[in-house]
Amino acid sequence: MRTAAVGTAAAVLATGAAFGLAPSATARTAATTAAAETTGIRFVDIAGDGGTVLKANVVLPAGADGTRRHPLIVLPTSWALPQVEYLAQARELADAGYVVVSYNSRGFWQSGGHIEVAGPRDVADASKVVDWALAHTPADPDRVGMAGVSYGAGISLLAAAHDKRIKAVAALSGWADLIDSIYSGRTQHLQAAALLGGSGYLTGRPGPELQSILSAFLSSDLDREQEMIDWGRTRSPAAHLDRLNANGTAVMLGNAWGDTVFPPNQYASFYERLTGPKRLELRPGDHATAELTGLFGLPNDTWTSAHRWFDHHLKGADNGVDREQPVRLKSRTSGGYEGYPDWTSVGAHEKRLALGGDQEVRTGVDSGANGGVVMLSNALDQFLRIPPTVSVPLLPRSHAAVWQSERYATAQRVRGTAKLHTTVTATASSGTLVAYLYDVGPLGVGKLVSNAPHTFHGKTPGEPFTVDLELFSTAYDVPAGHRLALVVDTVDPLYIEHNPAGARLTFSSPPSDPSYLSVPLRAE
């Protein structure tokens, strides 16, 4: 199991390197060290929780001589990336007057300890880094912020919930609910877990607890399901929301529509429950690709917003960020940004696609409909607008249930979260289904709009039961003359499926409880 996870992660990381997703520690260390004196970068060791050494770097504003205090930004590294990850952003922030401390998260690269997956020691580490910065740099204790991508985002949110000194956070491509991210619909997100687990073994030292949890997760050990859920809940900012709200932390959340590691639904739900200053930005892309160019010092909308967020909440800049619509979206198919007062307003109108008739599918065979490849497919959609596609007329109806709308006379601007409501009868007590929403053109070629898995256990064979499934949130414009299609099958390489050999699923629409797909549309 471990070998398979490492192999999958290695292949994905190799693909990611082709896109430039991860700065190479080996290639950049010598150049970074040589340039340290001229760029004002200082490499230091910081004692984290229990004295564990955290490798870090410090960048000070030009002319910082200790005569006055500067706002502080702390940047925990992303999962599996070295401490040079944020150097370009650290320089920009320092040029704007911030003290910046970036540190390698516990258990990775040269930092000590074991990988705790944003556990209590990681949260304590963040506070120790703040302590060190206040003692060793001209950082202002009343103006402390944290930011990070992916793993760094999760740690930043958790640290802010436990440390009142942290006044503002920019959490980019992170998670609010770890279970709802990689175990949504009670289904293991196989490729995401393999990527995280494998890259953790390649670049760090997973602790015994992580090794045990990952083994149980990938082997579908249902006897330990509640243990895994409890483990993930402790590491979920959503479970600490009351503390975050009590602290009044200013929280900016940024994510990509196609994030195959931390889908946007859980971020949107978390955003709605925040009571302090808040902002939600969603853009095309996959995990961390929306922030990618900014890590190399190139223009980047996400990082620009993060800088503005800190300028207002830590420096008091009157830059208008507090007067803008707090929910900011960019469609996958159009170029401009859209502003909304809250997440509820995003999909203000609902259009229902009736799912009439009975359709039976055999399980265990990939019909050809699938959500793509982690970190690759949605990056292609972001940069080239090439989402996963399928020929809807050629889908084998023995393995895929298909419903289609009429051709639309006008463009349908899908915004938010589509919801499936249907009745299922299974021939086995356990099973998995995966729902896909496609934009189908005149030739029958379907472009993937969204998808989501659902797994059930403990059902009585032959007895109907209701399934309510939220597809992953998105923003997509269906052109006039096209139609929407809902496809449901039972196998997708992104997920672990739980269908016994020879099992069948029947989808029906009882008159007393009709089946439908609710599609959220933008108000025109």
Side-chain angles (χ1 to χ4, degrees):
M1 189 74 67
R2 180 184 304 180
T3 302
V6 172
T8 301
V12 174
L13 289 173
T15 303
F19 278 93
L21 295 179
S24 167
T26 304
R28 298 188 63 175
T29 298
T32 299
T33 302
E37 291 187 4
T38 59
T39 58
I41 301 166
R42 183 159 56 102
F43 292 89
V44 300
D45 290 350
I46 297 177
D49 183 55
T52 297
V53 174
L54 304 175
K55 294 295 182 177
N57 58 68
V58 182
V59 187
L60 301 180
D65 54 9
T67 59
R68 66 185 183 93
R69 295 288 184 175
H70 300 266
L72 167 68
I73 301 293
V74 174
L75 301 166
T77 54
S78 301
W79 183 274
L81 292 190
Q83 60 165 306
V84 296
E85 174 188 7
Y86 298 116
L87 283 184
Q89 285 302 316
R91 287 296 303 157
E92 290 188 17
L93 286 164
D95 289 345
Y98 293 91
V99 171
V100 185
V101 179
S102 174
Y103 70 95
N104 224 71
S105 301
R106 169 184 293 263
F108 285 105
W109 295 93
Q110 296 143 322
S111 284
H114 292 92
I115 301 171
E116 305 283 344
V117 194
R121 290 188 181 94
D122 293 297
V123 175
D125 283 346
S127 290
K128 291 289 187 181
V129 172
V130 173
D131 292 341
W132 184 93
L134 296 179
H136 295 88
T137 74
D140 188 339
D142 295 323
R143 296 185 291 167
V144 178
M146 285 191 71
V149 176
S150 185
Y151 194 47
I155 290 175
S156 294
L157 286 171
L158 288 163
H162 290 83
D163 193 330
K164 295 181 179 180
R165 296 174 299 178
I166 301 169
K167 307 299 184 186
V169 168
L172 313 177
S173 289
W175 76 91
D177 188 323
L178 190 58
I179 297 301
D180 198 34
S181 294
I182 61 173
Y183 193 52
S184 69
R186 211 178 175 185
T187 308
Q188 297 100 319
H189 292 213
L190 173 61
Q191 290 186 15
L195 170 63
L196 295 174
S199 58
Y201 279 106
L202 287 170
T203 62
R205 298 166 301 283
E209 186 179 29
L210 172 57
Q211 294 182 46
S212 175
I213 289 291
L214 187 61
S215 175
F217 184 83
L218 292 175
S219 64
S220 304
D221 188 348
L222 289 178
D223 291 338
R224 298 183 61 191
E225 183 180 35
Q226 190 58 51
E227 176 191 350
M228 290 184 280
I229 290 173
D230 293 341
W231 179 87
R233 183 177 293 114
T234 301
R235 291 156 170 78
S236 297
H240 306 274
L241 182 67
D242 290 346
R243 300 184 64 158
L244 196 60
N245 284 336
N247 292 343
T249 312
V251 177
M252 172 187 159
L253 304 172
N255 205 354
W257 294 119
D259 194 321
T260 45
V261 179
F262 303 128
N265 299 47
Q266 44 90 35
Y267 244 19
S269 175
F270 180 70
Y271 169 84
E272 285 291 88
R273 297 164 58 202
L274 288 168
T275 58
K278 59 184 180 178
R279 186 178 181 92
L280 174 66
E281 300 191 356
L282 296 168
R283 299 176 173 84
D286 205 313
H287 184 62
T289 63
E291 301 84 25
L292 174 61
T293 56
L295 294 179
F296 296 99
L298 301 174
N300 181 274
D301 290 352
T302 306
W303 282 105
T304 296
S305 290
H307 286 226
R308 294 180 66 229
W309 189 250
F310 287 130
D311 286 348
H312 178 74
H313 291 286
L314 298 182
K315 295 169 68 175
D318 185 15
N319 56 15
V321 73
D322 57 324
R323 297 186 294 274
E324 298 170 355
Q325 297 275 41
V327 176
R328 193 164 179 249
L329 313 180
K330 189 174 185 181
S331 170
R332 291 163 47 200
T333 50
S334 58
Y337 283 96
E338 303 167 4
Y340 299 86
D342 50 43
W343 176 250
T344 305
S345 302
V346 171
H349 295 297
E350 174 193 74
K351 181 172 287 188
R352 288 193 174 185
L353 171 61
L355 310 177
D358 291 356
Q359 296 197 39
E360 181 184 86
V361 299
R362 299 173 186 171
T363 66
V365 174
D366 189 343
S367 70
N370 65 70
V373 178
V374 66
M375 293 292 292
L376 177 60
S377 298
N378 290 319
L380 291 174
D381 184 36
Q382 174 188 1
F383 296 113
L384 303 176
R385 294 192 178 177
I386 305 175
T389 60
V390 71
S391 174
V392 174
L394 296 181
L395 287 172
R397 296 315 196 256
S398 58
H399 297 290
V402 180
W403 297 268
Q404 295 192 71
S405 72
E406 76 284 358
R407 295 189 187 276
Y408 295 113
T410 59
Q412 306 294 295
R413 306 190 189 282
V414 180
R415 299 290 185 276
T417 309
K419 300 175 182 179
L420 169 63
H421 174 81
T422 189
T423 296
V424 178
T425 305
T427 60
S429 61
S430 295
T432 298
L433 59 94
V434 186
Y436 309 89
L437 182 62
Y438 285 102
D439 160 25
V440 184
L443 299 179
V445 175
K447 296 181 178 180
L448 186 65
V449 177
S450 184
N451 78 100
H454 176 84
T455 293
F456 58 87
H457 297 288
K459 299 299 182 182
T460 302
E463 185 174 308
F465 59 92
T466 300
V467 169
D468 287 289
L469 174 62
E470 288 191 351
L471 277 63
F472 300 136
S473 303
T474 194
Y476 184 100
D477 298 339
V478 180
H482 287 213
R483 65 178 80 213
L484 285 171
L486 176 72
V487 177
V488 182
D489 71 3
T490 63
V491 176
D492 190 310
L494 284 173
Y495 314 113
I496 291 179
E497 54 102 358
H498 296 262
N499 298 295
R504 298 184 305 279
L505 302 179
T506 299
F507 302 93
S508 58
S509 183
S512 60
D513 186 19
S515 296
Y516 61 85
L517 178 74
S518 171
V519 181
L521 301 176
R522 190 183 82 180
E524 297 297 340

